[in-house]
Amino acid sequence: MSKKGRVFSGARPTGRQHLGNYLGAIKNYVALQDDYNCVYCIVDLHALTTVEDTANLRQNTYEMALDWLAAGIRPAETIMFVQSQVPQVTELHTILSMVTPLGKLTDLPTFKEKVRQNPDNVNYGLVGYPVLMTADIVLYKSDIVPVGVDQAPHLEFAREIVRSFNYRFNTKALIEPQAKHTEVPKVLGIDGKEKMGKSLTNQIELASTPEETSQRVMQMVTDPARLRRNDPGNPDVCNVFSMHKIFSPAEEVEMINRDCRTAALGCVDCKKRFAANLNKDLEPFRAKRAEFAAKPEQVWDILHDGARRARELAEATMKEVREAVQLPE
Ligand code: ADP
C-alpha cells in the first residue's frame, strides 16, 4: 500500500519514557506508521538549549530509542535517528535564521516562559529554537507534523519561515508543512494534580519492573474527597479511574464506575486492579525492551542507519537550498 506523505516529529532525549510520553506521543507515533512515511528524530541539539549538564545525554538518547523501539517503532520503514548526526540541519538553521525576524522569536509565549523559568540561562540557541525546529521539519520535505493544541503556534511559525524563505529566494525548495491535529490525553502524575513529567518526579516509567510499577500505582492519589474506606468515591475526579478507562477491559471499567460510587470497591483494591492491568498491557513492551537492551550496539546501529537515510534526504534538500541562495556548489 502506498503511504500518504511524510510525517516528521521530534522529541528531546529525556531518557526513560513515562506513561505521559507513551499516551501523549509514542502511541501516536506507532499508529502513524501504518499510513505515512515517518521520520522520528531524537532532538539532542534542542536539548542543549536547556540542559547544562550533558553527562547523561548519550545515555538518555539510548534509553529513549530503546523505549521507542520497544513500543513499536519499525526502523526498517521509519527513519529513526539522532538530530546531531545530520549536520545539514545546522546549516539550514543558519540560513533560515536570516529570514526570521528576531522580534517574532522573542515575542513567542514559549520563549518568554523559558526566560521566566531560567533567567540565568537565556542563551542565543534558546531564542532560535523555533528556527531549528523548522529546519528539522523542512529538511526532510515533511508534509505533516502531528501537533497538540499547544504546539500549533510553533508550526504556524515554521510555515511563515518557509514562506519567507521561498519568497525571498524565489524558489519552491521548501515545503510548507501541514499540522495534523491530534487529540491526546493530558496524563496526570501519581499526585493526581500535575501533568506527569520527569521534572516533577511524579511519573510511571515504561521500563520499570512490574513490582516497581505496582509500587508507583499504589502511591497514586485518588478522589481527594474520599477520606475513609466506606466513603463513596467519585470516579469522575479520580486519576486512577481515568487510567482504568485506558488500560482496563470495558466490563471492569463499568464495575469500578458503579462500585466506587457506592463504596463497594475501595481505592486500594481499585489500584491493585489497575496495576495488574497496566502490567499485563506492558508485558510485550518489556519483553521487546529486554531483547534490545541485551544488544545495545544493535540500537546504535539502527540509529546510525536512520541518520544515514536522513542525511540522504537532507543533502538533496540542501542542494536545492544552496542553489536558491546562490551559495557555490
Ligand atoms: P519535548 O520537550 O520534546 O516535548 P517531553 O518529554 O516534555 O519533551 O514530551 C515528549 C512528548 O510527550 C510530547 O509530545 C509531549 O506532549 C508528550 N507528553 C509528555 N508528558 C505528557 C503528559 N503528562 N501527558 C501527555 N503527553 C505528554
Side-chain angles (χ1 to χ4, degrees):
M1 188 197 72
S2 73
K3 298 197 181 181
K4 287 187 237 170
R6 186 170 291 138
V7 160
F8 178 90
S9 190
R12 287 174 304 137
T14 47
R16 292 186 166 202
Q17 301 291 282
H18 52 69
L19 278 182
N21 299 132
Y22 177 64
L23 298 171
I26 303 171
K27 203 173 163 188
N28 189 37
Y29 281 11
V30 172
L32 284 167
Q33 295 177 116
D34 293 340
D35 293 327
Y36 299 93
N37 294 307
C38 296
V39 180
Y40 295 142
C41 182
I42 300 179
V43 291
D44 55 349
L45 294 173
H46 280 292
L48 295 181
T49 57
T50 50
V51 172
E52 280 167 48
D53 179 3
T54 61
N56 294 325
L57 194 57
R58 276 189 196 169
Q59 182 64 18
N60 283 344
T61 299
Y62 166 76
E63 295 272 359
M64 187 150 142
L66 260 184
D67 282 344
W68 282 8
L69 290 167
I73 301 299
R74 302 189 287 268
E77 51 188 287
T78 289
I79 300 182
M80 172 177 148
F81 70 107
V82 182
Q83 183 186 31
S84 62
Q85 298 195 321
V86 183
Q88 285 88 344
V89 80
T90 57
E91 183 185 358
L92 186 56
H93 170 245
T94 302
I95 295 173
L96 294 181
S97 71
M98 312 304 173
V99 296
T100 309
L102 182 60
K104 284 205 171 179
L105 287 171
T106 50
D107 271 352
L108 284 171
T110 39
F111 173 69
K112 290 183 176 161
E113 180 58 28
K114 289 260 163 67
V115 173
R116 248 195 312 275
Q117 283 169 355
N118 210 346
D120 299 330
N121 187 19
V122 185
N123 58 69
Y124 177 57
L126 195 61
V127 188
Y129 194 111
V131 187
L132 183 56
M133 193 190 96
T134 305
D136 281 324
I137 298 167
V138 300
L139 191 55
Y140 309 105
K141 301 223 178 210
S142 318
D143 315 286
I144 293 151
V145 180
V147 289
V149 214
D150 47 344
Q151 298 140 334
H154 271 156
L155 193 73
E156 204 34 61
F157 193 76
R159 288 160 57 85
E160 276 177 38
I161 297 178
V162 168
R163 285 197 292 271
S164 299
F165 176 86
N166 284 348
Y167 178 76
R168 163 83 176 74
F169 297 106
N170 191 24
T171 175
K172 292 192 174 118
L174 302 184
I175 295 179
E176 255 186 75
Q178 306 289 326
K180 182 174 170 59
H181 292 283
T182 31
E183 280 297 322
V184 286
K186 177 178 162 189
V187 179
L188 299 182
I190 59 167
D191 50 53
K193 276 202 216 103
E194 307 281 347
K195 192 172 162 181
M196 186 178 283
K198 212 170 181 171
S199 55
L200 296 171
T201 59
N202 64 358
Q203 79 275 39
I204 297 178
E205 287 178 354
L206 302 172
S208 299
T209 62
E211 295 71 31
E212 287 163 348
T213 304
S214 298
Q215 263 176 18
R216 291 296 270 172
V217 169
M218 296 317 286
Q219 292 166 3
M220 283 177 80
V221 173
T222 54
D223 170 6
R226 190 177 189 189
L227 302 174
R228 287 170 299 265
R229 168 65 187 81
N230 292 333
D231 291 345
N234 179 5
D236 302 332
V237 298
C238 177
N239 189 30
V240 177
F241 184 64
S242 61
M243 293 300 229
H244 269 296
K245 285 196 275 189
I246 300 171
F247 289 100
S248 301
E251 324 77 79
E252 195 171 345
V253 173
E254 206 177 299
M255 178 281 284
I256 294 166
N257 194 14
R258 188 185 58 234
D259 290 357
C260 168
R261 290 177 201 274
T262 61
L265 179 72
C267 292
V268 171
D269 286 335
C270 180
K271 287 197 265 192
K272 280 187 185 155
R273 283 175 174 274
F274 170 53
N277 292 338
L278 177 61
N279 277 329
K280 188 158 189 306
D281 194 271
L282 287 174
E283 258 170 36
F285 170 90
R286 290 192 179 120
K288 215 165 163 193
R289 196 182 202 277
E291 267 176 44
F292 279 112
K295 290 178 261 166
E297 67 291 347
Q298 193 190 337
V299 176
W300 285 111
D301 282 349
I302 287 171
L303 291 171
H304 290 147
D305 181 60
R308 183 189 55 72
R309 286 146 66 202
R311 279 194 301 269
E312 269 174 32
L313 296 173
E315 191 47 32
T317 304
M318 286 315 295
K319 282 211 166 77
E320 289 181 62
V321 167
R322 292 182 204 119
E323 174 71 31
V325 179
Q326 288 293 293
L327 299 171
E329 277 175 45

